Amino acid sequence: MGSAAHPGPEVRPGGPAVFHRKGWRTHALVTPDEARVLPDHHGVPAHTYLGLLGGTGLTAYVALTRTVRLQPGESVFVSAAAGAVGSAAGQFARLLGAGRVVGSAGSPAKVRRLTGEWGFDAAFDYHDGPVGDLLAEAAPDGIDAYLDNVGGDHLEGAIRGLREFGRIAWIGAIAQYHSTRPPAAPRNLFDIVGKSLRLEGVLVRNHRDAQGELEDFLVPHLQAGRVRDVQTVAHGFDGAVDAFLGMLRGANTGKMLVRVTAEQP
Ligand SMILES: NC(=O)c1ccc[n+]([C@@H]2O[C@H](COP(=O)([O-])OP(=O)(O)OC[C@H]3O[C@@H](n4cnc5c(N)ncnc54)[C@H](OP(=O)(O)O)[C@@H]3O)[C@@H](O)[C@H]2O)c1
């Protein structure tokens, strides 16, 4: 984000906050179509547009509403549930009327926050055993939908736990991003046929048209305090690499942000 840039010789400081993709910098010269002026919703800080009202929230929202098309009362499983997309997805699923919301995460502390703070009905630490077994305990009646941020053993476990005609939104595969070997799982891909499942990839850039719909849905919930904007904030450009690597290994809960100025929003 930055300040609005004005064409011509006079560049005024201040003005409305805008979102642009010119990278991290103190100043950016952008054309009008390269910058989005952020709406000023009462009580919603601008940094929310980097998380819940940005690509993160949009990914979670379209995965639920367009890809798995979650219906009220359905059970949904979310992996990397204490992360940015995951914590948004679990909270949105609850607000969209999901029946049972189950999440997986990488530490007991994160698991406690999922059920204690973010409204998940059940959660497990995926280090505690095979994901399929842990999911079967957390959702004994099976699941209708799975939002996959992890791939690999999580996808395998979810395929096992999905009921007939279940749906998978494949968002990411963080378990395999830094592996040089092909993933060992899922070994049960053909069960997609046996159970008449549907697996569909989600790429947020193909759903930018849903931004207004996301804001209509989410802003009232944010203003009423029904959604938590979960963030982990690193400070300064010098911390950026550590923040990114930390995100990959689970140092974050919610959205990992880097604040490049000392000022509070
Ligand atoms: N398709 C799209 O358009 C789109 C858009 C945004 C993001 N994504 C994808 O969505 C996923 C989540 O992204 P994010 O930005 O929200 O990141 P994030 O979930 O905030 O951070 C990544 C989390 O992944 C977990 N993790 C790391 N290695 C793991 C492993 N081997 N098994 C299980 N969990 C592991 C860590 O949490 P734990 O402590 O729980 O392990 C870490 O906090 C990523 O795969 C990303 O590429 C896709």
Side-chain angles (χ1 to χ4, degrees), residues 55-56 58-60 62 79-87 104-107 110 124-127 148-151 153-154 170-178 201-208 246-256:
T56 293
L58 190 61
T59 304
V62 299
S79 57
V85 173
S87 59
S104 68
S107 73
K110 287 185 178 182
F124 59 84
D125 181 341
Y126 60 82
H127 296 106
D148 189 12
N149 291 307
V150 172
D153 57 344
H154 272 79
W170 198 350
I171 298 167
I174 201 156
Q176 64 194 57
Y177 290 160
H178 30 204
V202 182
L203 207 49
V204 67
R205 69 163 181 251
N206 293 329
H207 296 278
R208 297 277 175 223
M247 180 273 294
L248 289 177
R249 62 170 186 269
N252 61 310
T253 45
K255 183 76 178 180
M256 179 65 99

Side-chain angles (χ1 to χ4, degrees), residues 26-241:
T26 53
H27 295 76
L29 193 58
V30 294
T31 59
D33 59 346
E34 289 174 327
R36 186 161 60 90
V37 178
L38 300 180
D40 188 11
H41 296 295
H42 179 70
V44 178
H47 62 73
T48 311
Y49 284 90
L50 296 172
L52 289 178
L53 286 173
T56 293
L58 190 61
T59 304
Y61 181 75
V62 299
L64 288 164
T65 59
R66 292 185 169 183
T67 311
V68 303
R69 295 173 211 153
L70 187 73
Q71 301 300 309
E74 288 190 325
S75 301
V76 59
F77 172 44
V78 180
S79 57
V85 173
S87 59
Q91 295 186 88
F92 294 179
R94 174 95 298 144
L95 293 168
L96 290 165
R100 192 164 180 78
V101 182
V102 176
S104 68
S107 73
K110 287 185 178 182
V111 165
R112 279 195 296 277
R113 293 191 71 182
L114 289 177
T115 53
E117 296 177 32
W118 303 328
F120 286 71
D121 297 292
F124 59 84
D125 181 341
Y126 60 82
H127 296 106
D128 287 346
V131 173
D133 292 353
L134 298 167
L135 179 60
E137 279 174 37
D141 297 330
I143 52 170
D144 301 294
Y146 172 48
L147 267 58
D148 189 12
N149 291 307
V150 172
D153 57 344
H154 272 79
L155 181 54
E156 181 173 305
I159 290 172
R160 182 178 139 194
L162 277 157
R163 288 200 271 256
E164 200 175 26
F165 303 113
R167 293 92 64 202
I168 302 167
W170 198 350
I171 298 167
I174 201 156
Q176 64 194 57
Y177 290 160
H178 30 204
S179 171
T180 50
R181 286 175 301 183
R187 295 163 295 183
N188 56 353
L189 211 49
F190 190 61
D191 287 354
I192 286 180
V193 176
K195 293 187 181 185
S196 296
L197 305 179
R198 182 166 59 78
L199 184 156
E200 185 178 327
V202 182
L203 207 49
V204 67
R205 69 163 181 251
N206 293 329
H207 296 278
R208 297 277 175 223
D209 62 298
Q211 179 67 31
E213 191 183 318
L214 169 69
E215 289 175 27
D216 290 347
F217 163 73
L218 193 57
V219 168
H221 290 306
L222 284 166
Q223 289 171 327
R226 288 187 288 268
V227 179
R228 292 193 187 216
D229 188 5
V230 189
Q231 300 170 347
T232 301
V233 182
H235 292 273
F237 273 117
D238 292 348
V241 172

